[in-house]
């Protein structure tokens, strides 16, 4: 009797040569973490795929969409698992095509991974195709670009049959590319940039600059909601919170009005770099898009970049706002990010910020306040919120817990 399973396909991992097994293991671990709420029985590699089986009926269908969101997953297929009996896999093929949805044309794509089965791929195509033609007499066989394709995969002592197959988020499994520190606000852009680096195998370590105590802590709760919206498929183990409001006030008093934003961002980058050093992260990630706001012109980006020595990645730099919004909607963070919340991005903002800063003016403003002492103060008072995850490794430093937001057992 046929049972329901999921076949996970990957693309880039298959090109990794001798390191392929390492990437496959990471992806299997991430799938296990993402599916912790389901009755997963096994997650194993079979013939260039990862097979996920479940101990309870109906769980494969329910877990299907979750697997699509796991970085490194190129495609997920909802399959029937049968024995190598023609009656079983032909019946499964009829069911698979029947649940595909609307179609007018179809074909069969059979493949066997070993030669101990007497039928060749061509024989299997013909055998299954005849059954499907009888079951769907009003549909046409079309070998090139059909509406539906029924796949028949013979692997060892089993046959896997599927027609429903959807594209996943792709990329590389999270944890295969090391840590990055991401500047995460409660807005639309930075959650998308965080997701994009996770999709390339990085483990994001978000740093949120709060306007507290000059503003309420609402944005901090929204950031938690964003992390939960990305997970459990995208794993974030820790969010650092930096109460930045008083320092912004100090900068707004000491520095020229037009250069405040650049000073804010230079401090933020410097603190993020210090946290990156503690975390062992290799880069800073921001949600900047060229020319989108005053601080994101080429001159201002250069004026901020010079305070750090590690790379700064801007995955959205060439994207327009509509593209970013569409991505935020697809990953589930848009509705959270559009909620109104006071944060450091709106605090002590100048009416006419500088859009083309000169470095000599920036350096002069930088020396108008004790920036080194401010950076030390902010790093000393950094707080953090931990989330349950498998791919994040905690550093030994920075032991102060965000008591107002941490779970009760951590706050004690």
């Amino acid at each position: 009797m046929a049972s329901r399973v999921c076949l996970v396909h990957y693309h880039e991992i298959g090109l990794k040569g001798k390191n392929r097994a390492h990437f496959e293991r990471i992806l299997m671990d991430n799938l296990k973490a993402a599916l912790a709420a389901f009755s997963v029985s096994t997650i194993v590699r079979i013939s260039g795929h990862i097979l996920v089986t479940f101990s309870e009926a109906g769980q494969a269908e329910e877990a299907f969409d979750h697997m699509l969101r796991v970085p490194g997953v190129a495609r997920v297929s909802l399959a029937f698992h049968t024995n190598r009996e023609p009656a079983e896999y032909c019946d499964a093929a009829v069911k698979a095509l029947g649940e595909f949805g609307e179609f007018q044309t179809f074909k069969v794509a059979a493949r066997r991974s070993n030669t101990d089965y007497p039928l060749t791929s061509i024989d299997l195509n013909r055998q299954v195709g005849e059954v499907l033609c009888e079951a769907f007499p009003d549909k046409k066989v079309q070998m090139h670009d059909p509406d539906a394709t029924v796949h028949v995969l013979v692997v060892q002592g089993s046959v896997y049959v599927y027609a429903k197959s959807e594209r996943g988020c792709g990329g590389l499994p999270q944890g295969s590319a090391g840590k990055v520190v991401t500047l995460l606000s409660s807005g639309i852009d930075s959650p998308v940039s965080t997701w994009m680096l996770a999709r390339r195998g990085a483990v994001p370590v978000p740093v949120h600059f709060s306007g507290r105590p000059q503003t309420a802590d609402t944005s901090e709760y929204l950031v938690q909601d964003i992390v939960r919206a990305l997970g459990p498929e995208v794993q974030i183990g820790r969010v650092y919170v930096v109460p930045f409001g008083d320092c912004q006030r100090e900068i707004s008093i000491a520095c020229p009005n037009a250069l405040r934003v650049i000073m804010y961002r230079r401090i933020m980058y410097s603190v993020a770099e210090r946290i990156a050093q503690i975390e062992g992260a290799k880069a800073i990630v921001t949600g900047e898009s060229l020319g989108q706001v005053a601080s994101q012109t080429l001159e201002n980006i250069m004026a901020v970049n010079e305070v750090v020595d590690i790379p700064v990645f801007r995955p959205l730099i060439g994207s327009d706002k509509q593209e970013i919004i569409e991505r935020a909607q697809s990953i589930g963070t848009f509705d959270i990010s559009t909620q109104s919340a006071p944060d450091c991005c709106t605090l002590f903002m100048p009416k006419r910020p500088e859009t083309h800063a000169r470095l000599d003016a920036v350096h002069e403003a930088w020396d108008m306040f004790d920036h080194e002492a401010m950076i030390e103060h902010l790093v000393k008072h950094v707080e953090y919120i931990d989330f349950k995850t498998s791919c994040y490794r905690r550093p030994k430093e920075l032991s102060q817990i965000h008591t107002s937001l941490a779970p009760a057992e951590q706050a004690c």
Side-chain angles (χ1 to χ4, degrees), residues 198-231:
R199 182 173 173 258
R200 297 308 308 162
V203 177
V205 182
V207 178
H208 176 66
F209 286 85
S210 169
R212 181 160 49 90
Q214 299 292 330
T215 68
D217 57 2
T218 312
S219 67
E220 300 168 35
Y221 288 93
L222 291 181
V223 164
Q224 286 192 93
D225 291 341
I226 287 169
V227 170
R228 295 189 183 100
L230 292 172

Side-chain angles (χ1 to χ4, degrees), residues 98-221:
E99 70 179 17
F100 178 80
E102 294 294 327
F103 71 97
Q104 293 300 319
T105 60
F106 72 93
K107 75 172 184 179
V108 179
R111 181 169 66 87
R112 57 177 190 170
S113 63
N114 49 342
T115 58
D116 66 339
Y117 192 63
L119 295 181
T120 66
S121 296
I122 295 176
D123 294 334
L124 285 166
N125 284 338
R126 185 181 299 113
Q127 182 188 66
V128 176
E130 289 176 355
V131 174
L132 292 177
C133 287
E134 292 178 4
F136 300 92
D138 58 330
K139 309 300 182 183
K140 290 178 56 179
V141 175
Q142 182 173 302
M143 300 309 296
H144 298 288
D145 196 25
D147 297 331
T149 300
V150 178
H151 296 265
V152 181
L153 179 63
V154 181
V155 179
Q156 298 171 352
S158 300
V159 180
Y160 300 92
V161 182
Y162 62 89
K164 181 179 179 179
S165 186
E166 294 186 15
R167 184 176 179 178
C169 72
L172 295 170
Q174 201 181 350
S176 61
K179 289 181 180 179
V180 294
V181 163
T182 71
L183 300 184
L184 182 63
S185 72
S186 59
I188 296 171
D189 301 345
S190 57
V192 175
S193 63
T194 297
W195 177 87
M196 291 181 74
L197 264 292
R199 182 173 173 258
R200 297 308 308 162
V203 177
V205 182
V207 178
H208 176 66
F209 286 85
S210 169
R212 181 160 49 90
Q214 299 292 330
T215 68
D217 57 2
T218 312
S219 67
E220 300 168 35
Y221 288 93

Side-chain angles (χ1 to χ4, degrees), residues 149-374:
T149 300
V150 178
H151 296 265
V152 181
L153 179 63
V154 181
V155 179
Q156 298 171 352
S158 300
V159 180
Y160 300 92
V161 182
Y162 62 89
K164 181 179 179 179
S165 186
E166 294 186 15
R167 184 176 179 178
C169 72
L172 295 170
Q174 201 181 350
S176 61
K179 289 181 180 179
V180 294
V181 163
T182 71
L183 300 184
L184 182 63
S185 72
S186 59
I188 296 171
D189 301 345
S190 57
V192 175
S193 63
T194 297
W195 177 87
M196 291 181 74
L197 264 292
R199 182 173 173 258
R200 297 308 308 162
V203 177
V205 182
V207 178
H208 176 66
F209 286 85
S210 169
R212 181 160 49 90
Q214 299 292 330
T215 68
D217 57 2
T218 312
S219 67
E220 300 168 35
Y221 288 93
L222 291 181
V223 164
Q224 286 192 93
D225 291 341
I226 287 169
V227 170
R228 295 189 183 100
L230 292 172
E233 296 84 10
V234 170
Q235 300 182 54
I236 294 176
R238 172 171 292 181
V239 174
Y240 288 98
V241 177
V242 184
F244 193 36
D246 284 346
C247 292
Q248 284 184 270
R249 182 176 182 275
E250 181 181 336
I251 291 171
S252 71
I253 295 171
C255 297
N257 188 295
L259 294 175
R260 286 181 192 173
V261 176
I262 294 175
M263 297 302 108
Y264 297 159
R265 295 194 71 79
R266 285 168 72 99
I267 291 292
M268 292 164 72
Y269 277 44
S270 299
V271 173
E273 184 179 43
R274 292 283 296 275
I275 293 175
Q277 292 169 353
I278 293 169
E279 282 281 354
K282 306 303 182 187
I284 296 170
V285 180
T286 79
E288 294 166 304
S289 173
L290 186 62
Q292 184 169 258
V293 295
S295 65
Q296 296 173 18
T297 62
L298 286 176
E299 292 87 350
N300 290 2
I301 287 173
M302 183 174 69
V304 174
N305 262 15
E306 69 169 1
V307 299
V308 296
D309 295 323
I310 63 176
V312 179
F313 296 154
R314 297 175 172 88
L316 304 180
I317 197 68
S319 302
D320 65 30
K321 194 65 178 183
Q322 190 56 43
E323 292 170 334
I324 299 170
I325 287 173
E326 289 173 358
R327 178 67 77 180
Q329 290 171 332
S330 70
I331 65 176
T333 59
F334 178 74
D335 290 342
I336 302 169
S337 297
T338 52
Q339 296 179 44
S340 177
D343 63 6
C344 72
C345 296
T346 58
L347 188 61
F348 301 116
M349 293 296 291
K351 291 183 178 179
R352 293 181 178 86
E354 179 62 68
T355 56
H356 302 286
R358 293 179 294 107
L359 284 179
D360 56 347
V362 170
H363 295 160
E364 185 178 345
W366 189 238
D367 291 333
M368 289 180 177
F369 65 101
D370 192 345
H371 52 265
E372 288 296 337
M374 184 177 289

